[in-house]
Amino acid sequence: MSSYNSFETAKQQVIEAAKIIRLDNATLNLLLKPQREFAFTMPVRMDNGSVEIMEGYRIQYNTARGPAKGGIRFHPDETVDVIRALACWMTWKTAVVDLPLGGGKGGVICNPKVLSERELENISRAYIRAAADFIGTEKDIPAPDVYTNPQIMAWMMDEYETIVRKHSSGILTDKPLQIGGSEGRRDATSRGGVYSVLEACKYYNIPPKRFIVQGFGNAGQRVALLHSEILSEGKLVAVSDSSSALYNPNGMNVHELVRHKLQTGKIKGFKGAEEIDRDSALEIEADILYPSALENAINEFNAEKINSKIICELANGPTTPEADIILHQRGIKVLPDILASAGGVIVSYFEMVQDSSSFFWEEAGVNKALEIKIKKAFRSVINAQESNNVHPRLAAMIVGVARVAEACKIRGWV
Ligand code: GLU
């Protein structure tokens, strides 16, 4: 388990942004606390007949701009403070890309790696039975996060509809296409990341040739495939997952690597690259580094050794504040999570819009609308960066916090 407290980090980032925009104390205090928190226990029947009492959470951090929005994570190391941090970051993420949504997050403390399909289904349904009163298309709309996926969303939606006795497909996003999901949603986080890299490479004049992917789950795999496809250049020179790390200076065959991962559950044993020490994957020389796993992967212990020009944060909170300072001093450009990983929630919003009208868009239309949103958000962040002379994360926070604060004020909350 990480020794960092991500919620302390998240609050620190709000305080820094608040100083620059001279936010009054009442608004700052409002934005430093979650609006609502739900903690519940869930009895879950296991395959051996026993019942485990699991802990679940849902946190609605701020809903001034719209209903809370954010994923549900199934993870053994989940803590309330991690969920608070993730819900807080979702608030700025939806604001930076200008969606009419607030921020939320949820989680269950469990280890999906040792659970069967049926046990996962039982947990998913139990979560919704506990949370049904405080989620809803006009209140709070969950989605997947780490170790949750469209199948889990399908079980959750089904349980919700069973409770409310009517179709309510917009209650969750990133569902399978057959039951109200959106084209392009599975790729959306990674696609949005690549679009932001495209903008950053133009702005900083850096060709996006060699890239590294840290973490090889859904986002890591999709970004490895999309980087070369969208940017029409790019070699995957290093990759890591929880089992090992691989290096090939001439670039790996990404399709084969993804096939190997899907077949074996690991990147270890892939023939098209040499195995290296897991930590050294981040130190390989490259143009772009995509951290795509968990929080705090880039910290004061490895920030000095990173050899990439741009870091595109597909994970939530992968860089600690200490590392941020080091990277900034070393001239490494960080595309912050609340911008670079916003593609997922952007297409989740498109999914909600499609569900509410029962009219579904073609994939090209989804991708185009996503590109427009990311480009516009990138511009707002660059404008804040240039006018305040700050690093990109602070610039993104300034945009997000200012928009949420404005909504709180217009509503008369502060
Ligand atoms: N879990 C994703 C995120 O952190 C997606 C959230 C959503 O689509 O609501 O951005």
Side-chain angles (χ1 to χ4, degrees), residues 9-22 28 89 92 96 204 313 319-321 324-325 328 332-339 377-378 380-403:
T9 302
K11 285 191 288 189
Q12 204 46 49
Q13 292 165 347
V14 178
I15 293 169
E16 274 177 49
K19 262 187 222 147
I20 298 193
I21 58 174
R22 297 202 171 87
L28 174 62
W89 287 325
W92 325 125
V96 167
Y204 295 116
E313 296 184 337
T319 310
T320 66
D324 252 338
I325 297 169
H328 184 55
I332 296 174
K333 316 292 179 204
V334 177
L335 300 179
D337 50 1
I338 58 171
L339 168 70
F378 183 87
S380 321
V381 171
I382 291 296
N383 287 345
Q385 185 176 318
E386 287 173 354
S387 50
N388 296 290
N389 193 21
V390 292
H391 59 82
R393 182 179 325 278
L394 187 48
M397 283 298 294
I398 289 171
V399 176
V401 169
R403 286 182 181 164

Side-chain angles (χ1 to χ4, degrees), residues 69-72 90 93 105 141-146 173 185 189 316 341-342 344-346 348:
K69 183 84 192 86
I72 299 171
M90 281 309 297
K93 193 187 285 192
K105 208 79 167 199
I141 307 100
D145 200 80
V146 172
T173 56
R185 176 62 185 86
T189 306
N316 288 304
S341 78
V345 73
I346 293 174
S348 275

Side-chain angles (χ1 to χ4, degrees), residues 112-177:
K113 289 196 171 165
V114 300
L115 294 167
S116 70
E117 277 280 292
R118 192 164 52 168
E119 289 167 338
L120 279 175
E121 177 173 352
N122 290 347
I123 297 172
S124 307
R125 291 188 185 275
Y127 186 92
I128 292 300
R129 283 196 298 278
D133 283 341
F134 41 84
I135 58 171
T137 48
E138 274 126 34
K139 295 188 221 170
D140 181 359
I141 307 100
D145 200 80
V146 172
Y147 293 150
T148 47
N149 56 36
Q151 176 59 71
I152 288 176
M153 297 304 109
W155 290 322
M156 289 185 164
M157 182 186 86
D158 185 68
E159 191 66 24
Y160 187 78
E161 292 186 344
T162 306
I163 294 167
V164 299
R165 308 229 43 88
K166 57 180 179 185
H167 279 290
S168 310
S169 56
I171 174 65
L172 292 139
T173 56
D174 199 352
K175 301 176 294 293
L177 287 179

Side-chain angles (χ1 to χ4, degrees), residues 312-370:
C312 174
E313 296 184 337
L314 290 184
N316 288 304
T319 310
T320 66
E322 297 78 14
D324 252 338
I325 297 169
I326 300 171
L327 296 171
H328 184 55
Q329 283 164 352
R330 296 186 55 220
I332 296 174
K333 316 292 179 204
V334 177
L335 300 179
D337 50 1
I338 58 171
L339 168 70
S341 78
V345 73
I346 293 174
V347 178
S348 275
Y349 166 66
F350 297 157
E351 185 172 327
M352 291 165 60
V353 171
Q354 293 170 78
D355 285 332
S356 73
S357 56
S358 277
F359 181 78
F360 291 87
W361 313 349
E362 297 298 326
E363 189 180 348
V366 172
N367 294 345
K368 191 72 217 165
L370 167 61

Side-chain angles (χ1 to χ4, degrees), residues 14 35 136 141 174 176 178 183 206 208 230 236 258 264-266 298 308 314 317 322 327 331 337 360 365 373 377 396:
V14 178
Q35 224 174 296
I141 307 100
D174 199 352
Q178 298 87 333
E183 293 286 353
I206 296 171
I230 298 174
L236 176 65
V258 170
T264 65
K266 298 175 175 147
I298 302 174
S308 296
L314 290 184
E322 297 78 14
L327 296 171
D337 50 1
F360 291 87
K373 276 266 174 220

